[in-house]
């Protein structure tokens, strides 16, 4: 990392500090500018070829004492907690069997190509609440009516997870990716049929509990989405202590304590 003069490194304790400079703008603005300058220099020097182009999409730095953001593509370089909102969409057959609307990502996606996904999922942007993220993504990804989502969606807690990026992740390999996923459920009628809205999705599939379970075991799901689906299965009694030998381990890992500050006070 080509650190600029705005940062001070303490190698022996593996710390990096943003410096305060007298006469600079307010501390919040100075921090945002310092991070932007660092990333601009990183791109100019082509230090991390997979960093990608600069995009006007900032995510909050979770745990900071004030509102400060960083480009989404750069979060993994710093090991910052990502925040996502995921909504599992399901329906019931005439016999009461639960089935899930599951999209498959396009094969040309730069991240997790051709893998199964959540019906609605996205990163919580700076200044956005998880619920508003779900409402926005539901319209963009699944053409769901905003009024229906606001009325019928059910908040179901969080999943905390820790992933190490691989080739499928699309960025630098071997980076730490801690995350907090805000989980939502939405039941829709049998008459509702999901179809791709944009080129990100190749098709939606209506899958049974057993089909989803098999797909998870075969590694077909994007990792974060698999974690959310497992949480749904636990909450609805499809994964239990009686049918899964690693039940306690699964449940504890879905709600693990991350070794990072999640809020300014914790």
């Amino acid at each position: 990392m080509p650190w600029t003069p705005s940062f001070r490194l303490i190698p022996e304790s593996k710390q990096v500090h943003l410096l305060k400079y007298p006469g600079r703008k307010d501390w919040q603005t100075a921090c945002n500018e310092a991070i932007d300058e660092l990333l601009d220099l990183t791109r100019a020097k082509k230090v991390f070829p997979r960093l990608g182009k600069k995009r006007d999409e900032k995510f909050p730095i979770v745990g900071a004492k004030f509102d400060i953001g960083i480009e989404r593509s750069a979060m993994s370089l710093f090991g910052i907690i990502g925040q996502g909102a995921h909504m599992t969409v399901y329906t019931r057959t005439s016999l009461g069997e639960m089935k899930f609307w599951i999209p498959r990502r396009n094969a040309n996606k730069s991240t997790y190509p051709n893998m199964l996904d959540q019906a609605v999922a996205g990163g919580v942007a700076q200044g956005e609440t998880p619920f508003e993220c779900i409402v926005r993504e539901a319209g963009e990804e699944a053409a769901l009516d905003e009024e229906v989502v606001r009325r019928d969606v059910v908040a179901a807690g969080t999943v905390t997870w820790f992933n190490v990026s691989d080739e499928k992740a699309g960025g630098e390999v071997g980076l730490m990716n801690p995350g907090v996923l805000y989980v939502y459920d939405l039941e829709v009628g049998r008459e509702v049929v999901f179809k791709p809205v944009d080129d990100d999705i190749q098709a939606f599939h209506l899958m049974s509990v057993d089909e989803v379970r098999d797909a998870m075991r075969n590694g077909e799901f994007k990792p974060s989405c698999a974690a959310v689906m497992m949480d749904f299965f636990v909450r609805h009694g499809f994964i239990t202590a009686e049918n899964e030998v690693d039940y306690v381990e699964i449940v504890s890992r879905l709600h693990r304590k991350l070794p990072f500050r999640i809020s300014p006070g914790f």
Side-chain angles (χ1 to χ4, degrees), residues 168-190:
K168 295 179 181 178
E172 298 293 325
V173 175
L175 299 180
M176 299 183 296
N177 291 286
V180 177
L181 306 175
Y182 295 86
V183 178
Y184 297 85
D185 299 341
L186 179 68
E187 182 173 359
V188 297
R190 293 193 295 274

Side-chain angles (χ1 to χ4, degrees), residues 64-94:
K65 295 182 179 179
F66 46 81
D67 186 23
I68 179 172
I70 187 170
E71 288 180 45
R72 180 177 185 173
S73 60
M75 291 183 67
S76 295
L77 292 176
F78 296 88
I80 294 169
I81 292 177
Q83 293 185 112
H86 288 228
M87 184 167 74
T88 301
V89 179
Y90 64 96
T91 188
R92 297 181 190 271
T93 68
S94 58

Side-chain angles (χ1 to χ4, degrees), residues 46-76:
K46 300 180 179 180
V47 178
F48 302 109
R50 295 189 179 188
L51 178 58
K53 296 180 180 179
K54 187 171 185 177
R55 297 173 61 185
D56 188 22
E57 185 181 20
K58 284 198 172 184
F59 280 20
I61 294 182
V62 176
K65 295 182 179 179
F66 46 81
D67 186 23
I68 179 172
I70 187 170
E71 288 180 45
R72 180 177 185 173
S73 60
M75 291 183 67
S76 295

